[in-house]
């Protein structure tokens, strides 16, 4: 799919039909093609990439860049090097995190603000955007207003956040980029109202933080769970733990900034004997579930086999017909 004059998107559908997401690979430039992310180390990504290149590009990959170290973005770096002899471009602080997934030679480290010049005057800028992971970076093609965000901003879902303070600062940097027209995320559809989307995430986080501070104004110290319940009184109970995690991410930032005080909790310690007993119970449950699954499959197969053969369970000798 053509995104802008120099950019094409290869959106590889997700395995599960329940998740209408894709893992995306982008191609930038014409003669000297640069890829941004290259999927998981699975055949379907490799075939998509090779098929797309063979069918529409008639070019090979010169540089394979990644937005961060996670395996669904960086799984094919070695392979890309082997097949295309491509140069591998990674975030400067991602090297240790990418251990085992990099080729021995041809790896270039990218720093914030660095410019990658491709053939045909296509300048691609590196924008550091830590938060989802420490080594997250975006790539910005300012001339065409195209921003590649990896997992820093996704097409249709919210991302997971490791460091909230860093993440919020990153969103602010991105919303300030000049000439921004479209976001090419690591998963899901393109974002055609990039500023609005980035601003809504910034606003959302600000609101959440204000709500937490408000909840803490009401007297005695509270646990993250109590805060969560006061902020999201109507929440679907199955989402409570996720919401609590969200609140704790904010509390960690507030604590780091010295805006809240924390009294250490008291973790529950389980003694060795009860742990061993619980593990044995868990193994037994798993054994029963496995056996049930096997029986279920066998039953289904037997049903299919029955359809393929005459009903011998009803007849020793089936009736025979002839013309009268
Ligand atoms: Zn990721």
């Amino acid at each position: 799919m053509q995104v802008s004059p120099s950019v094409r998107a290869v959106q590889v559908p997700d395995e599960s039909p329940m998740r209408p997401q894709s893992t995306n690979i982008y191609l930038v430039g014409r003669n000297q093609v640069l890829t941004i992310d290259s999927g998981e180390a699975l055949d379907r990504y490799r075939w998509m990439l090779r098929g797309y290149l063979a069918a529409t590009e008639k070019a090979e990959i010169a540089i394979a860049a990644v937005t961060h170290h996670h395996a669904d973005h960086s799984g094919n770096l070695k392979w890309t090097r082997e097949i295309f002899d491509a140069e591998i471009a990674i975030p400067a602080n991602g090297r240790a995190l990418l251990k085992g997934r990099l080729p021995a030679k041809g790896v270039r480290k990218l720093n914030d603000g660095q410019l990658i010049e491709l053939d045909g005057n296509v300048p691609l800028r590196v924008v550091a955007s830590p938060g989802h992971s420490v080594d997250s970076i975006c790539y910005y093609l300012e001339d065409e207003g195209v921003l590649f965000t990896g997992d820093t901003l996704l097409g249709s879902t919210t991302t997971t956040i490791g460091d909230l303070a860093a993440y919020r600062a990153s969103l602010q940097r991105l919303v300030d980029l000049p000439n921004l027209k479209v976001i090419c995320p690591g998963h899901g559809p393109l974002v055609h109202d990039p500023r609005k989307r980035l601003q809504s995430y910034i606003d959302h986080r600000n609101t959440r933080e204000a709500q937490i501070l408000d909840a803490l104004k009401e007297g005695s110290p509270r646990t993250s769970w109590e805060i969560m319940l006061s902020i999201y009184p109507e929440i679907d109970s199955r989402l409570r733990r996720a919401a609590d995690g969200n609140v704790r991410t904010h509390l960690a930032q507030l604590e780091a900034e010295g805006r809240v005080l924390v009294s250490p909790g008291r973790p529950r310690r389980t003694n060795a004997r009860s742990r061993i007993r619980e593990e044995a119970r868990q193994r037994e449950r798993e054994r029963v579930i496995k056996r049930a699954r096997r029986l279920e499959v066998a039953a289904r197969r037997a049903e299919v086999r029955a359809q393929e053969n005459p009903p011998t369970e009803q007849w020793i000798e089936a009736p025979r017909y002839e013309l009268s």
Side-chain angles (χ1 to χ4, degrees):
M1 179 179 56
Q2 196 76 34
V3 177
S4 74
S6 309
V7 178
R8 283 85 66 209
V10 183
Q11 298 172 318
V12 188
D14 207 292
E15 279 284 63
S16 153
M18 296 301 288
R19 278 175 296 163
Q21 281 262 322
S22 55
T23 292
N24 306 329
I25 301 170
Y26 297 98
L27 297 111
V28 188
R30 272 292 160 207
N31 306 317
Q32 199 191 7
V33 175
L34 175 143
T35 55
I36 294 179
D37 290 338
S38 44
E40 241 175 301
L42 295 174
D43 280 342
R44 65 200 159 94
Y45 293 100
R46 298 174 179 180
W47 284 115
M48 268 304 268
L49 198 52
R50 286 191 91 169
Y52 189 92
L53 285 168
T56 64
E57 298 275 321
K58 307 199 173 21
E60 296 205 330
I61 302 170
I63 307 175
V66 288
T67 56
H68 63 301
H69 71 280
H70 289 164
D72 52 335
H73 299 257
S74 62
N76 293 315
L77 292 179
K78 261 190 197 166
W79 174 82
T80 318
R81 176 82 192 166
E82 273 163 31
I83 301 290
F84 302 102
D85 199 31
E87 183 178 31
I88 307 300
I90 63 166
N93 62 346
R95 179 150 212 144
L97 300 165
L98 281 161
K99 215 171 158 207
R101 267 174 264 151
L102 292 174
K105 272 192 214 152
V107 179
R108 168 173 167 191
K109 290 191 199 170
L110 301 173
N111 286 299
D112 182 35
Q114 194 169 332
L115 211 54
I116 306 168
E117 287 277 6
L118 297 172
D119 274 3
N121 197 20
V122 181
L124 195 64
R125 189 174 297 283
V126 177
V127 183
S129 60
H132 166 72
S133 65
V134 281
D135 65 333
S136 286
I137 58 176
C138 295
Y139 296 89
Y140 190 39
L141 184 59
E142 187 179 327
D143 292 357
E144 299 175 21
V146 187
L147 176 67
F148 303 89
T149 53
D151 284 353
T152 297
L153 190 127
L154 302 179
S156 59
T157 50
T158 51
T159 192
T160 54
I161 298 166
D163 179 339
L164 185 62
Y167 185 70
R168 291 168 85 185
S170 293
L171 289 179
Q172 195 57 53
R173 290 188 76 186
L174 298 181
V175 82
D176 290 338
L177 289 173
N179 194 40
L180 182 55
K181 289 181 184 145
V182 61
I183 285 176
C184 291
H187 303 274
L190 301 184
V191 178
H192 290 285
D193 53 353
R195 264 183 229 285
K196 208 171 134 203
R197 179 74 73 86
L198 286 162
Q199 192 58 50
S200 79
Y201 281 15
I202 293 168
D203 294 346
H204 178 77
R205 290 292 165 188
N206 291 343
T207 309
R208 203 53 88 224
E209 184 180 88
Q211 285 173 324
I212 290 170
L213 291 170
D214 263 359
L216 288 174
K217 273 184 201 143
E218 298 163 16
S220 56
R222 305 173 104 181
T223 64
S224 63
W225 193 267
E226 290 163 348
I227 296 170
M228 178 276 292
L229 286 177
S230 80
I231 300 179
Y232 310 90
E234 311 267 289
I235 194 170
D236 180 335
S237 54
R238 289 165 301 179
L239 298 176
R240 280 184 188 156
R241 286 223 180 172
D244 179 54
N246 205 330
V247 168
R248 276 187 285 122
T249 321
H250 272 282
L251 288 168
Q253 182 184 0
L254 290 166
E255 185 192 356
E257 291 170 359
R259 295 161 72 195
V260 300
L261 293 173
V262 189
S263 62
R266 214 154 32 88
R268 187 179 297 285
R269 294 196 208 292
T270 48
N271 68 43
R273 210 190 307 149
S274 69
R275 197 165 50 236
I276 289 166
R277 221 183 304 131
E278 183 45 45
E279 278 168 9
R281 267 195 223 116
Q282 183 59 25
R283 272 198 302 277
E284 175 62 12
R285 274 195 292 270
E286 278 161 15
R287 205 183 57 75
V288 172
I289 291 170
K290 243 191 220 154
R291 184 163 154 70
R293 283 210 189 105
R294 270 202 304 274
L295 288 173
E296 200 189 353
V297 170
R300 243 186 268 131
R301 283 209 189 114
E303 219 173 278
V304 171
R305 250 195 326 270
Q307 300 302 316
E308 292 171 341
N309 294 299
T312 46
E313 72 280 12
Q314 290 173 35
W315 306 98
I316 295 170
E317 180 79 46
R320 287 176 191 277
Y321 304 85
E322 59 185 325
L323 291 174
S324 55

